[in-house]
Amino acid sequence: MTIERLPAIRSTLQPSNHPYLTGAWTPQYEEVNAYDLEVIEGAIPEDLDGIYLRNTENQIHQPLGRYHPFDGDGMIHQIDFRRGKAHYRNRFVRSRCFQAEQEAGGSLWGGLQDKPSLSRRPGFGAHGSLKDSASTDIIVHAGQAIATFYQCGEGYVMDPETLEQLGPAPWVPIDGISAHPKVDDRTGELLFFNYSKHAPYMHYGVVDAEGRLKNYSPVPLPGPRLPHDMAFSENWAILNDFPVFWDEGLLEHNIHAVRLHDLPSRFALVNRNDPSDIRWFDAAPTYVLHWLNAWEEGDEVVLDGYFQNNPTPDPLPHDGGLGAMMAHIDENSFRPTLHRWRFNLRTGETREQSLGDQLVEFGMINQRYLAQPYRYAYSTTTKPGWFLFNGFVKHDLETGESTTITLPEGRYASEAPFAPRVGAEDEDDGYLVSFVIDENQGTSECIIIDCKRFADGPICRIALPHKISSGTHSHWVEREVLERDKAARRERLMAAAA
């Protein structure tokens, strides 16, 4: 392995025993390029060709108040597979807030658990007083990677191969974009939403294959809400209004306290051909962090995701007073299970069914099957009491069967997208790719799981040049798709310059 180390990032973080500033969540500041990574076990498949991107949270400066892991600064980790070899690099997302705090030499914004008055500068997003760290999600659209923030931020663009920083996406509206924009490879469009504390409280937008804002439409809500993800089928974008949102009375005093209201869940189906056509459907009260897929069957739009059976859990025991925070990011507390909703466009009826009682979340599918009927889903399991992935589950939605891989104690995974094998012949013909933090050894590695032989566990382990921090989301982009979209972008730039 050959390693190039970049100049160090300035940090003022003091040692602590905070559960999400230590262990697998210990911030990591080193930025490197590493070539010809060492294979620890097995062999890198020759038919794995593409790039895995992973977003993590790494708090750089001493917090002004009570730290929440989602306050950390975004860092993108990348591993590039080609012809049986792997290369790695990582970079902080140079957001405006990152740059401002580097110049100031300390934190300028309070966090999710703090009073807004603690922030020393106006903040970003729906909350209004937070740092836009672009630390939540990472996707690739039109040949460019986009890092996003869950409370709505500017959307920061990077080259997915070099991680060169390209600044905020020029099409992002003033209210920002939420994490979890979706890419429809069939049309080349990027679909997004945002939310805010002022009417109409939510918008839906579309960016075309050339990176131009094609549509930006209101999706009116009764008041401020906290949606997190969206889905789409061939003809419909699916947004939501869940009964878990800020207490309206406390919000008048600028206190952001989330509670469960006595309301149903509501789903907005936005016609992709005419965004003014919005169909609303009621469903059982819950909260959903993440969706898997949606598609159309006759008069129905079918949606799969993770139904929270206890969306506002009681605090966990914690001597440091962090019990409420610990519970709200612990899957074993809010208890998500795989679930299916069916929305009948003719009758307005909603039908629901549970697809299993195993506690799972952060699901991935073969992206070639987005907005189509599909069979296989890949979810994560977590360590009880913690936001730490400790295993994977392959769900066969046709038979109802599932297969679980549990990592050894002290080893924690990352969200693992499905990477189709070059020349894949069917839906599960490919791999899961994930980074693993090994607390027993103080190291990190990349693992590859063959989805045709899922129960066998990792077929390959690859050493990373340093131990990384944990985080939230990841993305896989196939080499063929990336090269196609980059070539199209170059042609457009050449045509514009001619």
Side-chain angles (χ1 to χ4, degrees), residues 38-48 81 84-85 431 447-449 453 458-462:
E38 176 190 353
V39 176
I40 305 170
E41 183 180 322
I44 299 172
E46 293 278 349
D47 54 9
L48 181 62
F81 295 98
K85 293 186 177 295
Y431 308 95
I447 62 170
I448 301 169
I449 298 168
R453 300 185 286 126
I459 61 167
C460 182
R461 296 171 52 215
I462 306 163

Side-chain angles (χ1 to χ4, degrees), residues 1-260:
M1 184 192 310
T2 303
I3 302 175
E4 299 172 353
R5 288 183 167 84
L6 278 65
I9 299 299
R10 295 172 58 197
S11 169
T12 61
L13 188 66
Q14 301 298 311
S16 78
N17 60 358
H18 191 292
Y20 286 94
L21 289 172
T22 54
W25 282 85
T26 301
Q28 189 257 340
Y29 307 126
E30 183 180 61
E31 296 176 310
V32 305
N33 302 325
Y35 305 98
D36 295 323
L37 301 183
E38 176 190 353
V39 176
I40 305 170
E41 183 180 322
I44 299 172
E46 293 278 349
D47 54 9
L48 181 62
D49 193 13
I51 291 174
Y52 171 62
L53 297 166
R54 164 74 160 145
N55 205 341
T56 65
E57 280 92 2
N58 301 261
Q59 181 70 7
I60 296 176
H61 295 292
Q62 185 66 17
L64 297 178
R66 292 158 55 86
Y67 182 70
H68 189 288
F70 299 164
D71 299 336
D73 295 274
M75 175 186 280
I76 306 302
H77 305 260
Q78 176 236 70
I79 187 165
D80 188 325
F81 295 98
R82 191 195 299 254
R83 293 188 290 273
K85 293 186 177 295
H87 312 293
Y88 166 90
R89 63 185 63 210
N90 68 307
R91 299 290 190 275
F92 274 104
V93 182
R94 262 65 174 182
S95 68
R96 298 184 203 270
C97 295
F98 172 94
Q99 301 285 22
E101 290 189 333
Q102 283 292 294
E103 292 171 7
S107 291
L108 296 173
W109 289 273
L112 191 61
Q113 298 187 94
D114 298 327
K115 294 179 180 179
S117 58
L118 196 62
S119 291
R120 296 171 178 172
R121 293 188 184 181
F124 290 79
H127 184 288
S129 299
L130 300 178
K131 172 175 60 180
D132 175 7
S133 57
S135 62
T136 309
D137 195 19
I138 182 73
I139 62 156
V140 175
H141 173 246
Q144 294 184 320
I146 306 172
T148 50
F149 184 55
Y150 72 104
Q151 286 260 1
C152 300
E154 293 188 281
Y156 283 87
V157 181
M158 306 172 78
D159 185 298
E161 292 181 291
T162 66
L163 299 188
E164 177 190 359
Q165 313 271 327
L166 301 173
W171 47 263
V172 171
I174 192 169
D175 285 330
I177 59 169
S178 173
H180 301 301
K182 304 296 181 182
V183 176
D184 184 347
D185 197 53
R186 179 182 59 88
T187 64
E189 293 173 325
L190 179 145
L191 316 180
F192 72 90
F193 71 100
N194 63 22
Y195 55 102
S196 67
K197 289 189 289 191
H198 56 82
Y201 304 110
M202 185 160 66
H203 288 84
Y204 161 71
V206 180
V207 178
D208 67 19
E210 298 185 7
R212 299 173 301 194
L213 186 63
K214 176 181 175 182
N215 172 68
Y216 185 62
S217 304
V219 183
L221 296 175
R225 296 296 191 263
L226 294 170
H228 184 72
D229 195 5
M230 67 173 294
F232 69 94
S233 65
E234 181 180 355
N235 294 294
W236 301 91
I238 306 170
L239 306 175
N240 58 74
D241 171 9
F242 289 124
V244 179
F245 53 87
W246 292 311
D247 182 283
E248 293 167 317
L250 293 174
L251 195 58
E252 292 178 359
H253 302 282
N254 210 18
I255 299 173
H256 298 80
V258 174
R259 70 174 179 89
L260 175 63

